Amino acid sequence: MAVEGANYPPHPARQMIASFLSVAKIVLIFGVILMDRAAAIVNEYPMLVWCRENKVSACLIIFFLCNTIEQQLMATGAFEISIDGEHLWSKLQSGRLPALAELFSMLEEHVHSTESTLQSVQS
């Protein structure tokens, strides 16, 4: 029995927003790094003054905050179980993960149905 993992694709709109956020993150980080050149604008906003004075902290906050949001946008929560093309479990449909006992019973049922099919074909 082979076990194969794959990513379930998120909704295309969520993918687009995550891609935009990824580019915006890089632009914001470069903006913080090059902020000294726009001193007149920066001095008007206290948050920008803080970013100019604490560049490393500001860049790290931007990086980690944007990555967290990107991750949430790309997450689907999918956990699908299929054996030999037969769909056994879907977290997207059930809203939960299977209990260990449920998983074992599904596998046993599949093995028994496969064995009975093989026996009927051989006879």
Side-chain angles (χ1 to χ4, degrees), residues 14 16 23 26 28 45 49 56 59 61 68 85 87 90 94 98 105 111-112:
R14 295 180 89 166
M16 191 181 333
V23 172
I26 293 168
L28 285 172
Y45 301 99
V49 171
V56 173
C59 289
I61 289 170
T68 301
H87 197 71
S90 171
S94 66
S105 71
V111 168
H112 290 305

Side-chain angles (χ1 to χ4, degrees), residues 13-120:
R14 295 180 89 166
Q15 281 181 320
M16 191 181 333
I17 293 169
S19 295
F20 172 77
L21 190 58
S22 180
V23 172
K25 168 181 61 182
I26 293 168
V27 169
L28 285 172
I29 289 173
F30 276 119
V32 168
I33 292 170
L34 301 173
M35 196 175 285
D36 289 334
R37 300 181 195 267
I41 297 170
V42 170
N43 291 333
E44 293 180 25
Y45 301 99
M47 184 175 180
L48 295 179
V49 171
W50 181 87
C51 287
R52 186 182 68 209
E53 293 171 357
N54 303 289
K55 288 183 185 208
V56 173
S57 296
C59 289
L60 287 173
I61 289 170
I62 291 168
F63 179 80
F64 287 118
L65 183 63
C66 288
N67 277 353
T68 301
I69 296 169
E70 288 172 46
Q71 225 173 13
Q72 288 299 314
L73 287 169
M74 296 299 286
T76 60
F79 184 79
E80 311 295 303
I81 301 174
S82 298
I83 299 178
D84 299 329
E86 181 184 342
H87 197 71
L88 298 179
W89 186 268
S90 171
K91 182 183 173 202
L92 295 176
Q93 291 175 353
S94 66
R96 64 183 183 84
L97 291 172
L100 195 56
E102 287 175 309
L103 182 60
F104 285 141
S105 71
M106 285 186 291
L107 293 174
E108 285 175 0
E109 287 175 23
H110 179 74
V111 168
H112 290 305
S113 68
T114 304
E115 286 175 353
S116 63
T117 304
L118 286 174
Q119 287 175 358
S120 66

